[in-house]
Amino acid sequence: MEITYASPSSLDLASSSSSASAMPHANRPVKVIPLQHPSSSSSPLDQSFLSDAFNKRIENLKRMTWIEWIEMVLPCFRWIRTYNYRDYLQVDLMAGITVGVMLVPQAMSYAKLAGLQPIYGLYSGFVPIFVYTIFGSSRQLAIGPVALVSLLVSNVLSGITDSSGELYTELAILLALMVGVLECIMGLLRLGWLIRFISHAVISGFTTASAIVIALSQAKYFLGYKVVRSSKIVPLIKSIISGADEFSWPPFVMGSITLAILLVMKHLGKTRKYLRFLRAAGPLTAVVLGTTFVKIYKPSSISLVGDIPQGLPGFSIPKSFGHVKSLIPTAMLITGVAILESVGIAKALAAKNGYELDSNQELFGLGVANILGSFFSAYPTTGSFSRSAVNHESGAKTGLSGIITGIIMGCALLFLTPLFEYIPQCALAAIVISAVMGLVDYDEAIFLWHVDKKDFLLWTITSVTTLFLGIEIGVLVGVGVSLAFVIHESANPHIAILGRLPGTTVYRNIRQYPEAYTYHGIVIVRVDAPIYFANISYIKDRLREYEVDVDRSTRRGPEVERIYFVILEMSPVTYIDSSAVQALKDLHQEYKSRDIQMAISNPNREVLLTLSKSDVVEMIGKEWYFVRVHDAVQVCLQHVQSLKESSKTADTADPSPDDKPSIFQRLLKNRGEEDTSITEMESGNKKPSDSRDTDPQLEPLLSRKP
């Protein structure tokens, strides 16, 4: 159907000011798709976003069956009711045993890193595992003590009290309770999306710097003398250098050999499929070899773990609530690390194993594990990348592997703690260093350098500030710079001038497609972002620049001296706020004073409704809203042709300046004097002539085969 550019759908608006027939060139048919204007009085979009989301959530809950309710409260029910004993039992048993063998020495090592007695590492790897198996949604994630969280615990608590005191242990347990409460709150309120504002470059830079600090903090067990406890690299290095005269060879040699064995076993386990069990057996091998050596030779210069209480942890309520306020920042930081590390690993493993994972449910599961763990003397736990990878590679299919791991931890607490007394501390330090070496992500830095210099800068800033200024400041600076980049990108959005690809009705960025051409007197601008108070000033400045800075080398159509039409392609604009609406009104008045007409192409329903409610549709004119850029160009190009014809007529008549009509008055006067051949070619009803004989000014807009 052929209609005029004055869309008949304009009558749908509440206050229609003019009909299509009253507009210039209404008698000229062109192929324009009608734009459907929303009704401002009965739109469902009047409902608030929160109300709509809440109602949708309620409807989803009403449709849930009783089985789905059980699965939502107890995610373990999903794999329990479909458990295939024949296919899953053996691999789950093997994976659970493998991770358990790996976790026992690691848990003691990480507890030492946190400044706690090794027994608290074992406690942290016991109760939380069982709780997470019930409430967690990942079937392969292996939770327990991890190096990064242990460093954070040590960093904050060492500034409050001495690590040898009872208060230190109480605060570590209290921290587990606080982290668990925060994780549960975020999971229940579905606030996991907040962490998306921390970029991967920040996390990579932070973990790289933290790994270096962790490795240096374990040097005291290798060197045989005391090193200051700090999360900054400078005090650590100063302390290591200043105590060099107390260097002891036996722990250094034993620790270095143990570390070499661990690295070789890890490498073989990664590169040889048939030897992958070596990766998990590495920590246990290091402990067994070290303990055997000490039992045989009894070297006095090698410090040992010492006495470890035997038995399962008893129930106790966390204490020292008076220090809650000072622990809040660290609890929030540990929660952020848990979300980024655990949820990220869990999602990757879920995708590999073909099941869906709810990140908010995952957060809730981690939170409950930490809360209940704190009542059994556990310090903060989260998902471990290395143990989760081993669990997956060992073939774990369900949470049963976690239960097996927990049983092994229980057996270790009940029967093996007397043997742990003779474990060399340098062997535990070697386990920690071996684990954190994989966190030094220099490959990511090289990748970012080649791909995105801005992200490389962010990675560098985060890692350097974490190394030299400490963990908390490093994270804050990294997150702050990351958010600054986000704000900068939002306040300075990408804006493109569009041109028409030859032989099509497609309009693309002229910088990306140099062959695309534009038309004299018309500028087509696409804003690739929501328009709101932070970026509207930048957008207005760019529009003024595009109006003045015109490249005439690739322009076609009737030649005119200046810009008469500015077409805003708004399909990428998902939102427009009141500040942007007011700015559009000001811009329209500014254009109007210079005889420039603004046209809007393809606004979405929400944007169009906002413009309608704020009377911008009426101000610009309903006839200047189009479905496609091409429709807008058709109409504007006809007007440019009319303006050129009227300009010639005006030049011939040479009226006095006082009597000279405005550009649009002349357009109305001469609307019936257009070139018929151009009209037919624009409307697509005339076959275009051979390209060799065609004037580029007369190129058809909608050429088609007869």
Side-chain angles (χ1 to χ4, degrees):
M1 178 180 70
E2 292 183 351
I3 63 172
T4 64
Y5 61 86
S7 169
S9 62
S10 62
L11 298 175
D12 296 337
L13 285 170
S15 55
S16 178
S17 61
S18 61
S19 64
S21 60
M23 295 308 302
H25 301 278
N27 60 328
R28 290 186 54 196
V30 292
K31 290 186 178 296
V32 176
I33 301 172
L35 176 67
Q36 298 297 326
H37 291 276
S39 172
S40 59
S41 60
S42 60
S43 174
L45 295 167
D46 289 335
Q47 301 177 15
S48 68
F49 171 77
L50 290 176
S51 175
D52 188 47
F54 179 76
N55 292 335
K56 185 177 180 181
R57 181 70 176 165
I58 293 298
E59 289 297 322
N60 289 338
L61 291 175
K62 288 180 179 178
R63 288 196 298 265
M64 289 174 60
T65 64
W66 67 272
I67 293 179
E68 290 173 333
W69 274 101
I70 296 176
E71 290 179 347
M72 185 178 73
V73 177
L74 301 173
C76 63
F77 189 68
R78 297 171 188 168
W79 58 264
I80 289 176
R81 69 187 185 91
T82 59
Y83 195 82
N84 187 330
Y85 289 91
R86 180 174 298 178
D87 295 336
Y88 294 168
L89 184 59
Q90 183 177 354
V91 290
D92 280 343
L93 284 172
M94 290 301 299
I97 293 171
T98 303
V99 175
V101 167
M102 185 179 184
L103 176 58
V104 170
Q106 275 193 350
M108 292 187 289
S109 303
Y110 293 150
K112 294 292 292 181
L113 174 61
L116 298 166
Q117 293 299 315
I119 188 63
Y120 291 101
L122 297 175
Y123 290 163
S124 301
F126 179 56
V127 172
I129 290 180
F130 290 105
V131 177
Y132 177 80
T133 301
I134 297 171
F135 294 99
S137 53
S138 175
R139 303 172 191 178
Q140 285 80 29
L141 186 69
I143 76 161
V146 297
L148 193 53
V149 171
S150 299
L151 177 64
L152 292 171
V153 171
S154 170
N155 182 58
V156 66
L157 298 187
S158 60
I160 298 176
T161 183
D162 186 71
S163 61
S164 60
E166 186 178 343
L167 178 61
Y168 190 96
T169 303
E170 292 176 355
L171 293 180
I173 295 170
L174 176 62
L175 198 55
L177 176 63
M178 294 174 63
V179 169
V181 170
L182 280 175
E183 289 174 338
C184 283
I185 290 174
M186 293 190 70
L188 291 172
L189 297 181
R190 310 185 73 81
L191 297 178
W193 59 269
L194 289 173
I195 307 299
R196 298 174 194 168
F197 286 97
I198 304 178
S199 75
H200 180 70
V202 170
I203 301 304
S204 176
F206 171 68
T207 53
T208 296
S210 299
I212 296 172
V213 171
I214 290 170
L216 289 175
S217 70
Q218 297 299 296
K220 59 184 177 182
Y221 300 115
F222 274 57
L223 303 176
Y225 57 86
K226 192 171 183 180
V227 175
V228 67
R229 184 185 295 272
S230 176
S231 64
K232 303 173 185 177
I233 191 172
V234 174
L236 284 171
I237 293 177
K238 281 184 177 179
S239 180
I240 291 172
I241 294 174
S242 62
D245 54 341
E246 301 177 29
F247 175 76
S248 176
W249 280 103
F252 179 78
V253 172
M254 184 176 188
S256 299
I257 293 173
T258 304
L259 180 60
I261 292 172
L262 285 167
L263 294 177
V264 170
M265 293 181 71
K266 181 189 286 187
H267 176 73
L268 291 174
K270 284 183 176 180
T271 57
R272 305 283 197 279
K273 212 168 188 179
Y274 60 92
L275 295 176
R276 61 186 180 188
F277 67 91
L278 291 178
R279 182 180 179 184
L284 181 62
T285 303
V287 166
V288 170
L289 291 177
T291 303
T292 303
F293 179 84
V294 168
K295 290 282 284 183
I296 294 174
Y297 297 101
K298 298 181 174 60
S300 58
S301 57
I302 295 179
S303 60
L304 306 179
V305 168
D307 183 51
I308 295 179
Q310 189 172 5
L312 301 178
F315 178 86
S316 62
I317 298 175
K319 305 172 184 177
S320 305
F321 283 93
H323 293 82
V324 165
K325 189 174 180 180
S326 60
L327 296 178
I328 288 177
T330 302
M332 295 176 65
L333 184 57
I334 293 174
T335 302
V337 170
I339 296 172
L340 292 165
E341 188 172 346
S342 299
V343 177
I345 298 167
K347 282 190 171 182
L349 292 175
K352 288 181 179 179
N353 288 274
Y355 62 92
E356 294 184 1
L357 183 137
D358 184 352
S359 57
N360 293 295
Q361 177 67 52
E362 186 69 11
L363 263 179
F364 181 77
L366 289 169
V368 175
N370 273 301
I371 290 173
L372 294 183
S374 68
F375 290 100
F376 292 90
S377 304
Y379 76 95
T381 57
T382 188
S384 166
F385 180 81
S386 59
R387 293 194 299 272
S388 299
V390 168
N391 198 30
H392 169 68
E393 291 168 2
S394 300
K397 297 297 181 183
T398 67
L400 180 62
S401 63
I403 294 176
I404 301 301
T405 300
I407 292 173
I408 290 176
M409 292 298 293
C411 292
L413 285 167
L414 288 171
F415 309 114
L416 300 180
T417 49
L419 299 176
F420 297 157
E421 179 182 349
Y422 300 99
I423 297 176
Q425 299 222 45
C426 59
L428 295 182
I431 292 172
V432 173
I433 294 173
S434 171
V436 299
M437 284 181 69
L439 298 178
V440 181
D441 202 358
Y442 57 87
D443 287 335
E444 179 70 11
I446 296 172
F447 172 78
L448 293 176
W449 171 259
H450 290 293
V451 174
D452 191 338
K453 298 294 192 296
K454 188 183 294 184
D455 276 347
F456 175 78
L457 176 63
L458 188 58
W459 186 94
T460 305
I461 290 173
T462 304
S463 57
V464 170
T465 52
T466 302
L467 281 173
F468 290 95
L469 301 180
I471 292 174
E472 288 89 350
I473 296 177
V475 171
L476 289 176
V477 170
V479 172
V481 175
S482 179
L483 290 176
F485 284 167
V486 171
I487 294 170
H488 179 269
E489 291 294 330
S490 178
N492 299 272
H494 180 262
I495 302 176
I497 296 181
L498 305 185
R500 182 181 176 186
L501 297 179
T504 72
T505 58
V506 176
Y507 292 78
R508 291 292 182 266
N509 188 345
I510 59 176
R511 290 192 175 183
Q512 185 177 359
Y513 298 90
E515 67 274 17
Y517 58 85
T518 56
Y519 291 99
H520 292 289
I522 304 172
V523 172
I524 311 168
V525 180
R526 187 186 67 211
V527 182
D528 295 328
I531 304 177
Y532 68 114
F533 66 92
N535 63 16
I536 186 61
S537 178
Y538 175 84
I539 293 171
K540 286 175 66 176
D541 292 341
R542 297 291 78 75
L543 289 174
R544 293 189 185 103
E545 287 181 11
Y546 297 150
E547 179 190 343
V548 176
D549 185 14
V550 177
D551 181 10
R552 299 180 181 275
S553 61
T554 60
R555 289 184 172 264
R556 302 188 184 183
E559 292 187 5
V560 289
E561 295 299 322
R562 65 179 184 85
I563 298 299
Y564 290 108
F565 297 94
V566 175
I567 301 173
L568 293 182
E569 156 67 316
M570 298 186 72
S571 58
V573 179
T574 57
Y575 167 75
I576 184 169
D577 73 350
S578 58
S579 300
V581 166
Q582 187 58 48
L584 280 179
K585 289 182 178 180
D586 296 340
L587 189 62
H588 171 71
Q589 294 297 337
E590 183 182 327
Y591 280 159
K592 188 175 180 181
S593 67
R594 299 201 303 274
D595 281 339
I596 298 176
Q597 176 63 50
M598 182 189 297
I600 306 294
S601 167
N602 197 22
N604 68 33
R605 182 175 174 81
E606 290 81 0
V607 171
L608 191 56
L609 183 65
T610 302
L611 297 178
S612 177
K613 287 181 176 180
S614 57
D615 296 327
V616 175
V617 171
E618 295 289 341
M619 178 179 290
I620 296 176
K622 293 168 240 174
E623 68 279 2
W624 293 106
Y625 287 77
F626 302 91
V627 173
R628 302 180 302 168
V629 173
H630 189 60
D631 293 347
V633 172
Q634 286 186 93
V635 174
C636 293
L637 195 58
Q638 291 181 50
H639 290 346
V640 170
Q641 178 66 25
S642 300
L643 291 170
K644 184 174 178 62
E645 294 296 329
S646 62
S647 178
K648 290 180 180 178
T649 304
D651 291 342
T652 303
D654 193 20
S656 63
D658 296 334
D659 299 331
K660 189 172 182 179
S662 71
I663 197 71
F664 287 104
Q665 287 174 336
R666 284 183 274 138
L667 178 64
L668 287 170
K669 181 179 179 182
N670 295 281
R671 65 183 181 180
E673 301 176 4
E674 289 79 16
D675 187 344
T676 305
S677 62
I678 297 177
T679 302
E680 291 179 345
M681 296 179 76
E682 288 174 342
S683 64
N685 294 326
K686 180 177 179 180
K687 181 179 178 180
S689 59
D690 184 71
S691 59
R692 293 171 295 181
D693 303 320
T694 300
D695 188 335
Q697 294 183 9
L698 306 182
E699 182 178 358
L701 289 174
L702 278 173
S703 60
R704 63 180 182 181
K705 294 182 180 181

